[in-house]
Amino acid sequence: MLLVYFIKVNLCLVLLCLLFQVLMYRDTFFGVRRLMLWGIYLTAFLLPLWNMQGWLSGDATTNGLAEAYATYVLPTLDVTASRVASFGIEQSEPGCGMWFVGTMLLWALIYAIPVVVLTVRFLWQIAYILYLRCTCARENIFGQRVYRYPRQCSPFSFGAWIFMHTDEIDEQALREVIVHEQTHVRQWHTVDILLSEMVCIIFWWNPAAWVMRREVRMNLEFMADKAVSDYLTSSTASHDSTLKAYQYHLLGFSTQMNVATISNNFNVLPLKRRIIMMNSRRTRRTGMVKYAVFVPVAALMLLLCNVD
């Protein structure tokens, strides 16, 4: 039963990830995109748990659709003694049960090893950030408490904490970094990062999980970049020149070390896509109509998940 649930979750994740890539890849509705990414995760995990068998069995239309689906889409396999024997396993063979158990244990081991490795890496990074929180000196920069990392690194935040190496950063770049990281802190972007990381640990073999992780991280950076752009707009008349200077600052930080990949890093790559988004025209509000496609797609997946 658990295996069937895992299969359904991964299929939902793949389909919804493809939908996101096709319809929403270049939108500038960053807040709506964040909600959509959360919706994809919640739908993939909760949809297979919704049992509609009682309602479906009493509806003639859905029964007809289910029969057509089973007849024309699902393969038919007759399991007989001769077919079992054709696989080299006699029905009365004494070791048949042990062979099956051994195969299942092998597959469980293949699945568990990467999960353990990724979990240890995940916990190690959290422990290291907690260590930095306890050992790094505190500074107050433009009214924001910052933990000073002892070596040169890319600025990053985790939860309510901002870490950065403040040496050799001019005042304008420092203000941009603070606004950028304050956005991550204020909007609790760390929660999104942790969710995407845990999904990748559980479904490490599913490419859609890693694509979703990348999209979550990029969208959070788009949101923080937009906050910096809005700050520059309100603080100076020459917005274009200061925005270009901010983009050069991003390029400068791209050569510096990332301390922890589970944090909100200032120089999340690819920078090219971030710069393109900053220079893009805002998507028209009518473009939000296509987000409604998510509803019938989710309804269709719910129906397929309940086909017996």
Side-chain angles (χ1 to χ4, degrees):
M1 196 68 180
L2 183 61
L3 179 61
V4 174
Y5 173 73
F6 263 49
I7 292 172
K8 289 180 178 180
V9 169
N10 279 275
L11 288 176
C12 290
L13 202 59
V14 169
L15 292 174
L16 293 174
C17 180
L18 287 173
L19 178 67
F20 182 88
Q21 292 290 307
V22 171
L23 297 181
M24 307 151 197
Y25 184 75
R26 292 190 178 276
D27 283 358
T28 58
F29 304 122
F30 304 131
V32 179
R33 282 162 58 100
R34 185 187 186 190
L35 293 176
M36 181 60 66
L37 289 165
W38 269 93
I40 289 174
Y41 282 127
L42 293 176
T43 302
F45 278 97
L46 297 180
L47 211 62
L49 296 175
W50 192 350
N51 190 345
M52 297 178 59
Q53 290 292 338
W55 178 77
L56 290 176
S57 60
D59 186 79
T61 304
T62 53
N63 276 329
L65 290 173
E67 289 177 6
Y69 176 74
T71 303
Y72 298 106
V73 179
L74 297 181
T76 301
L77 178 64
D78 296 324
V79 180
T80 62
S82 60
R83 182 175 290 273
V84 172
S86 68
F87 286 103
I89 304 172
E90 294 296 336
Q91 197 172 14
S92 59
E93 188 176 339
C96 180
M98 292 302 296
W99 175 84
F100 178 77
V101 171
T103 303
M104 291 298 100
L105 288 175
L106 177 61
W107 280 110
L109 185 64
I110 292 173
Y111 169 77
I113 289 176
V115 170
V116 172
V117 172
L118 291 173
T119 301
V120 170
R121 175 176 170 269
F122 177 76
L123 295 176
W124 169 257
Q125 291 190 76
I126 291 180
Y128 183 61
I129 292 175
L130 293 175
Y131 167 77
L132 293 177
R133 162 66 176 76
C134 297
T135 58
C136 288
R138 302 179 186 180
E139 296 183 13
N140 194 293
I141 303 177
F142 307 129
Q144 173 66 51
R145 184 168 62 182
V146 173
Y147 295 89
R148 189 179 187 279
Y149 192 74
R151 297 182 299 278
Q152 192 176 58
C153 73
S154 171
F156 66 97
S157 61
F158 184 84
W161 311 323
I162 297 176
F163 300 86
M164 61 187 301
H165 186 72
T166 55
D167 294 353
E168 302 175 2
I169 302 180
D170 61 74
E171 182 179 346
Q172 180 61 27
L174 202 55
R175 287 185 181 275
E176 293 166 356
V177 170
I178 293 298
V179 172
H180 184 103
E181 298 303 330
Q182 279 179 334
T183 304
H184 288 314
V185 170
R186 187 173 60 254
Q187 299 180 4
W188 285 97
H189 290 175
T190 300
V191 178
D192 303 58
I193 296 291
L194 294 178
L195 173 64
S196 63
E197 289 286 343
M198 287 187 287
V199 171
C200 285
I201 290 173
I202 299 171
F203 304 126
W204 56 265
W205 45 272
N206 188 343
W210 297 96
V211 173
M212 288 289 295
R213 173 180 177 267
R214 182 195 67 194
E215 291 302 322
V216 166
R217 295 175 68 86
M218 287 302 303
N219 190 62
L220 297 179
E221 294 307 314
F222 294 155
M223 296 177 74
D225 289 337
K226 184 179 183 300
V228 176
S229 177
D230 293 342
Y231 162 75
L232 294 174
T233 301
S234 62
S235 62
T236 179
S238 54
H239 171 256
D240 291 340
S241 61
T242 51
L243 183 61
K244 189 166 293 186
Y246 171 64
Q247 293 168 2
Y248 278 117
H249 293 153
L250 287 176
L251 292 173
F253 281 113
S254 66
T255 61
Q256 298 182 5
M257 170 184 67
N258 279 342
V259 175
T261 58
I262 64 168
S263 60
N264 295 290
N265 283 286
F266 188 76
N267 66 341
V268 169
L269 299 176
L271 287 179
K272 181 179 179 181
R273 187 177 167 195
R274 288 174 63 183
I275 293 173
I276 289 174
M277 277 295 190
M278 277 186 273
N279 294 323
S280 298
R281 296 179 62 182
R282 298 302 174 198
T283 307
R284 294 181 179 179
R285 290 190 177 275
T286 54
M288 295 185 66
V289 175
K290 60 188 175 185
Y291 284 80
V293 176
F294 178 81
V295 177
V297 170
L300 179 61
M301 288 192 298
L302 176 62
L303 179 64
L304 296 181
C305 284
N306 279 273
V307 173
D308 192 359

